[in-house]
Amino acid sequence: MKGLNIEIYADGAVVSDMVAAKNQGIVTGFTTNPTLMKRAGITDYVAFAKETLSEVDGAPISFEVFADDFQTMKLEAEKIAKLGSNVFVKIPITNTKGESSVPLIKSLSEENISINVTAILTIEQVKEVLEAFKPGTENIVSVFAGRVADTGVDPTKLMKESVRLVAEKGNAKLLWASSREVLNIIQADQLGVDIITVTSPILNKLDMLGMDAKELSLDTVIGFNKDIKDLGFSIL
């Protein structure tokens, strides 16, 4: 976007929404996850992935493994990676038992697979992941800033330190995940974060970016008035 250095990725699993996001000319990449796929009613993972890849024109896109044991995760990751050279394999930082995925990440990185490590919420996890990547490989470190904020904690300190570590290591891009509002894009950009993922509702608000407050006030009242007319009744 004009005036911003950060890359904006669309987060979703509805192919038509992805196409619409691409056509806006703002989005430079895409991410998906099992929760979004469930909401979208996806029933065939590979068919969905292939359809999506045919629509994103070579833009980077992340597909997540589904398994919870590391042996199966590895097999899934290797299959996903073969779908395209623009594919990043999403690996959660732990399995459901709380066991670290770092050994698996290191093994996959040695195979030159591009990895997007997801569900990161601590600086210690950032450090561990960066050490696991093979030099010269392309990777993404997804820190869930929005979920940190959901706990009542300001995530900017975590993201600022993550920016420093990622820049120092030079083997990955930092991604601000679980964004909640347009303001997060500005915050992430000011901190020097490389990428932010946004859902369709946030993308649809981007035309409000930089909007004059007085103009926005009038626009809000006009919206209220339209809803009043749609209700079709009066108080008096």
Side-chain angles (χ1 to χ4, degrees):
M1 287 185 68
K2 188 177 180 181
L4 296 176
N5 294 315
I6 196 167
E7 294 182 69
I8 297 177
Y9 283 15
D11 195 23
V14 178
V15 177
S16 59
D17 287 349
M18 292 180 173
V19 173
K22 180 189 69 175
N23 291 339
Q24 280 185 275
I26 296 169
V27 168
T28 58
F30 301 86
T31 57
T32 65
N33 66 50
T35 300
L36 295 172
M37 291 174 69
K38 178 182 176 182
R39 289 176 189 166
I42 304 299
T43 56
D44 187 326
Y45 193 125
V46 175
F48 161 72
K50 289 181 176 178
E51 181 186 3
T52 304
L53 284 166
S54 71
E55 297 288 353
V56 301
D57 295 332
I61 182 165
S62 297
F63 295 111
E64 189 164 342
V65 296
F66 270 28
D68 193 46
D69 67 281
F70 297 126
Q71 184 177 359
T72 309
M73 273 191 206
K74 188 173 190 293
L75 295 174
E76 290 179 343
E78 290 167 341
K79 182 174 182 178
I80 291 169
K82 291 176 182 176
L83 292 172
S85 59
N86 56 322
V87 170
F88 285 75
V89 180
K90 287 182 81 172
I91 304 289
I93 187 61
T94 73
N95 63 9
T96 61
K97 298 176 182 177
E99 298 166 336
S100 174
S101 300
V102 168
L104 170 64
I105 292 164
K106 184 175 177 62
S107 175
L108 292 172
S109 191
E110 288 295 329
E111 297 180 32
N112 296 312
I113 291 174
S114 296
I115 303 167
N116 178 347
V117 185
T118 190
I120 292 176
L121 279 95
T122 74
I123 203 65
E124 289 75 19
Q125 290 173 332
V126 173
K127 291 177 181 177
E128 291 170 354
V129 164
L130 290 173
E131 288 297 328
F133 294 142
K134 177 183 175 182
T137 55
E138 293 185 55
N139 307 284
I140 297 172
V141 177
S142 291
V143 180
F144 279 48
R147 294 211 176 195
V148 173
D150 287 344
T151 69
V153 175
D154 183 350
T156 54
K157 182 179 179 182
L158 168 63
M159 298 309 292
K160 185 176 181 179
E161 179 64 7
S162 297
V163 166
R164 185 188 68 79
L165 291 170
V166 169
E168 188 178 87
K169 205 67 181 173
N171 58 3
K173 288 186 175 182
L174 178 63
L175 185 149
W176 178 304
S178 293
S179 56
R180 301 295 192 241
E181 53 196 356
V182 174
L183 174 61
N184 295 152
I185 300 174
I186 305 303
Q187 291 172 316
D189 184 65
Q190 290 175 342
L191 289 169
V193 176
D194 299 300
I195 307 166
I196 187 168
T197 50
V198 297
T199 54
S200 292
I202 297 177
L203 276 175
N204 294 336
K205 291 180 180 180
L206 288 181
D207 57 353
M208 294 171 62
L209 192 61
M211 191 174 182
D212 177 76
K214 188 174 181 180
E215 181 185 351
L216 182 56
S217 176
L218 176 60
D219 187 66
T220 302
V221 173
I222 290 171
F224 287 160
N225 185 255
K226 180 182 181 303
D227 291 338
I228 289 167
K229 290 177 180 178
D230 290 343
L231 283 169
F233 55 75
S234 62
I235 295 173
L236 300 180

